Amino acid sequence: MAYFAELDNNNIVLRVLSVSNQDCPDPAPANEQQGIDFLAGLGLGSNWKQTSYNGNFRKNYAGIGYTFDAARDAFIAPQPYASWVLDETTCQWEAPVAYPTDGKMYTWDEDTTSWVEVAA
């Protein structure tokens, strides 16, 4: 199974569809054009990028609202908070303070730019 993200004119992911191995037989990511041609043949448009469910290429599995960054060849989730920065290696957003490792549950508080323990 191969997965393809449809992009709008701003490279924002609109939807992600799967294409069977029968219709996209070559190994990924070499089969990208096969999948694009298959989806276009169904009348589903032509602005598609292949995405990897396990992140083997294009850094992250595409999701609705993600951006495809052609320069990084990566799908990037929307920035969750203004203070978070993009890790250029993983193309994932990171908090300015590391998540605590004490086994407790926390939520991010943007006002204080800190992790706040969730009451049990």
Side-chain angles (χ1 to χ4, degrees):
M1 193 70 60
Y3 300 92
F4 292 83
E6 183 180 22
L7 307 176
D8 71 9
N9 292 335
N10 295 311
N11 284 342
I12 305 298
V13 175
L14 300 172
R15 60 182 166 171
V16 179
L17 299 179
S18 61
V19 175
S20 74
N21 291 340
Q22 179 179 350
D23 297 309
C24 198
D26 292 342
N31 63 356
E32 182 170 48
Q33 192 59 52
Q34 291 172 337
I36 292 168
D37 292 344
F38 175 77
L39 293 165
L42 295 175
L44 298 176
S46 61
N47 196 10
W48 296 91
K49 289 288 181 186
Q50 191 168 11
T51 185
S52 173
Y53 191 74
N54 55 16
N56 284 341
F57 55 92
R58 300 213 163 115
K59 309 286 186 184
N60 303 296
Y61 182 69
I64 294 171
Y66 281 42
T67 300
F68 177 70
D69 185 312
R72 294 179 176 99
D73 193 31
F75 287 102
I76 302 172
Q79 186 175 13
Y81 300 97
S83 66
W84 289 33
V85 295
L86 187 67
D87 179 308
E88 292 291 334
T89 302
T90 64
C91 288
Q92 294 183 3
W93 296 101
E94 293 187 352
V97 177
Y99 189 87
T101 59
D102 59 7
K104 297 177 183 175
M105 301 231 1
Y106 291 85
T107 187
W108 182 253
D109 183 336
E110 183 66 8
D111 292 334
T112 63
T113 61
S114 64
W115 294 102
V116 177
E117 186 177 349
V118 175

